[in-house]
């Protein structure tokens, strides 16, 4: 069956639900305002600062950080957030051309779970957001990073929290239908090469769908793999999609090993994160898989870690260059490397 043609002008605009998922809701903002004073728990204020950074909120971060400057026990953490803020300032100052007009989100299709950002490229990157509906960072912030790579980007959102086994709203209610529709989107973008990117639950989605799409490359940051193989996570997914998952559906290692043309796969994870290390090691030994353990990192949010350490651009550059047979027009490489 040929892929369906699904590309439309509405897909170029984030739906209201996507737009909302890329911002902090009013209740959280009210909570943040309620603790923005010196008598509240400093750790809670620090956590708010980190949330603000992830959503690209510069002014709000600066204001909250000002309440933490004299807290000695948190000085090192405050310095880290300030470094993240400097990166955020740089991207916001230099890359507004990559960001959508947030006042023009799609008025219809409230639940549409995908957003297409064309770049007139023959390479398309399918980006699978995690449970928080981000790639560690707001998708708007991520687009300011990915926009430099001169690739089309299709952002996907898993509203059902089913590790994408329940499909993507607006594309399909199951994996096979969604894959067929994604092929249609990639065809409409005139893609010669398809790559996948994901973090956390989205990392599993990127690996699972990437194999079915015949992707040339898959980049997974801290993919959750082991819990999906068996146990409560797998059972919860089955409940959400209305049927139990089979071993064949979740056995990524066997699928990679048995595919006729396996993609180039890279996995980034914190070397000090036991669960993420176990998931990465599940794929160890497969010659298609390259590991990037981050020394001293225990955080699950490895995209944030690499952005903060100025290595995200270098990792993505190397991944795209290593994936597939087709040539790649990288655009202005000096701009990518200087900013990362």
């Amino acid at each position: 069956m040929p892929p369906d043609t699904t590309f439309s002008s509405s897909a170029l605009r984030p739906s209201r639900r996507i737009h909302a998922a890329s911002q902090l809701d009013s209740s959280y903002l009210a909570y943040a305002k309620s603790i923005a004073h010196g008598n509240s728990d400093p750790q809670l204020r620090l956590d708010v600062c980190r949330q603000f950074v992830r959503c690209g909120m510069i002014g709000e971060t600066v204001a909250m950080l000002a309440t933490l400057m004299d807290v000695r026990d948190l000085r090192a953490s405050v310095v880290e957030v300030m470094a993240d803020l400097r990166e955020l300032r740089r991207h916001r100052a230099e890359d507004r051309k990559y960001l959508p007009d947030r006042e023009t989100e799609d008025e219809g299709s409230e639940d549409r779970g995908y957003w297409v950002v064309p770049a007139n490229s023959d390479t398309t990157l399918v980006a699978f957001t995690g449970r928080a509906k981000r790639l560690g960072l707001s998708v708007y912030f991520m687009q300011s990073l990915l926009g430099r790579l001169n690739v089309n980007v299709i952002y996907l959102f898993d509203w059902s929290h089913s590790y994408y086994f329940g499909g993507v709203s607006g594309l399909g209610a199951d994996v096979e239908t969604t894959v067929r529709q994604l092929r249609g989107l990639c065809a409409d973008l005139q893609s010669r090469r398809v790559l996948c990117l994901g973090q956390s639950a989205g990392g599993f989605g990127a690996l699972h769908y990437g194999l079915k799409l015949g992707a040339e490359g898959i980049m997974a940051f801290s993919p959750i793999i082991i819990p999906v193989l068996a146990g409560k996570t797998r059972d919860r997914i089955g409940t959400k999609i209305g049927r139990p998952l089979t071993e064949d559906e979740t056995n990524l290692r066997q699928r990679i090993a048995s595919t006729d043309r396996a993609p180039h796969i890279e996995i980034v994870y914190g070397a000090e994160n036991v669960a993420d290390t176990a998931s990465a090691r599940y794929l160890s030994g497969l010659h298609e898989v390259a590991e990037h353990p981050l020394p001293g990192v225990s955080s699950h949010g490895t995209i944030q870690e690499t952005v903060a350490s100025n290595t995200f651009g270098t990792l993505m550059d190397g991944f795209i260059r290593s994936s597939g047979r087709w040539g790649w027009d990288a655009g202005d490489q000096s701009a990518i490397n200087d900013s990362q």
Side-chain angles (χ1 to χ4, degrees):
M1 180 183 295
D4 296 337
T5 299
T6 54
F7 192 76
S8 65
S9 60
S10 64
L12 300 174
R13 300 188 300 274
S15 69
R16 288 183 174 180
R17 191 167 182 180
I18 292 172
H19 188 65
S22 299
Q23 305 179 97
L24 295 174
D25 61 31
S26 58
S27 62
Y28 189 89
L29 292 175
Y31 158 73
K33 184 177 181 180
S34 72
I35 65 170
H37 56 80
N39 295 326
S40 66
D41 185 337
Q43 183 62 54
L44 295 179
R45 282 179 274 150
L46 181 65
D47 292 342
V48 167
C49 286
R50 288 173 171 148
Q51 287 289 348
F52 283 166
V53 167
R54 289 167 188 162
C55 288
M57 300 167 63
I58 294 176
E60 293 85 349
T61 308
V62 170
M64 188 66 83
L65 278 177
T67 72
L68 294 168
M69 293 303 183
D70 296 327
V71 182
R72 290 187 178 183
D73 292 345
L74 296 181
R75 185 165 295 170
S77 297
V78 169
V79 169
E80 290 178 3
V81 174
M82 290 178 69
D84 292 346
L85 183 60
R86 282 194 293 272
E87 284 300 303
L88 177 59
R89 283 183 182 276
R90 180 184 303 173
H91 296 306
R92 279 292 179 263
E94 297 177 358
D95 301 302
R96 295 199 65 82
K97 65 180 180 178
Y98 296 119
L99 304 179
D101 180 352
R102 300 189 190 186
E103 299 303 318
T104 61
E105 69 268 19
D106 186 13
E107 293 291 334
S109 189
E110 179 73 18
D111 287 341
R112 177 168 50 79
Y114 68 98
W115 172 37
V116 180
V117 186
N120 194 30
S121 171
D122 63 3
T123 295
T124 294
L125 179 69
V126 183
F128 294 74
T129 63
R131 286 181 61 85
K133 307 303 176 284
R134 303 170 191 158
L135 282 155
L137 305 159
S138 159
V139 293
Y140 296 141
F141 189 4
M142 280 304 302
Q143 184 54 30
S144 74
L145 301 176
L146 297 178
R148 293 186 179 87
L149 299 176
N150 192 35
V151 296
N152 312 307
V153 185
I154 302 174
Y155 292 96
L156 301 181
F157 300 80
D158 179 18
W159 302 136
S160 66
H161 300 289
S162 65
Y163 287 71
Y164 292 91
F165 280 101
V168 173
S169 179
L171 295 177
D174 55 49
V175 174
E176 298 304 328
T177 304
T178 300
V179 167
R180 187 169 67 250
Q181 296 283 65
L182 282 172
R183 286 182 181 141
L185 287 174
C186 291
D188 287 339
L189 290 166
Q190 300 183 10
S191 309
R192 298 178 69 204
R193 179 172 57 160
V194 175
L195 308 174
C196 292
L197 166 71
Q199 177 167 278
S200 189
F204 184 95
L207 289 161
H208 184 197
Y209 276 69
L211 292 169
K212 288 183 171 292
L213 284 167
E216 299 280 356
I218 302 170
M219 181 67 127
F221 286 80
S222 303
I224 298 176
I225 300 175
I226 297 296
V228 183
L229 297 177
K232 293 181 179 178
T233 298
R234 179 171 166 175
D235 291 343
R236 282 198 297 268
I237 295 171
T239 299
K240 289 180 180 297
I241 66 174
R243 62 172 180 81
L245 290 177
T246 66
E247 181 180 352
D248 181 63
E249 288 178 287
T250 60
N251 192 336
L252 293 177
R253 183 181 180 87
Q254 180 60 35
R255 283 176 171 269
I256 294 169
S258 62
T259 188
D260 292 336
R261 186 174 64 85
H264 172 70
I265 298 172
E266 298 189 26
I267 298 181
V268 181
Y269 61 95
E272 305 303 318
N273 188 304
V274 175
D276 290 347
T277 298
S279 282
R281 294 287 163 80
Y282 165 75
L283 299 179
S284 291
L286 295 173
H287 72 272
E288 301 88 353
V289 178
E291 293 183 27
H292 298 287
L294 303 180
V297 172
S298 60
S299 170
H300 181 62
T302 43
I303 285 183
Q304 302 96 302
E305 293 285 342
T306 57
V307 169
S309 64
N310 298 324
T311 57
F312 180 78
T314 302
L315 282 167
M316 291 300 298
D317 183 6
F319 162 67
I320 294 177
R321 287 191 178 280
S322 299
S323 298
R325 299 162 294 167
W326 307 113
W328 178 47
D329 176 11
D332 184 359
Q333 278 299 292
S334 62
I336 296 173
N337 295 327
D338 289 347
S339 67
Q340 296 299 334

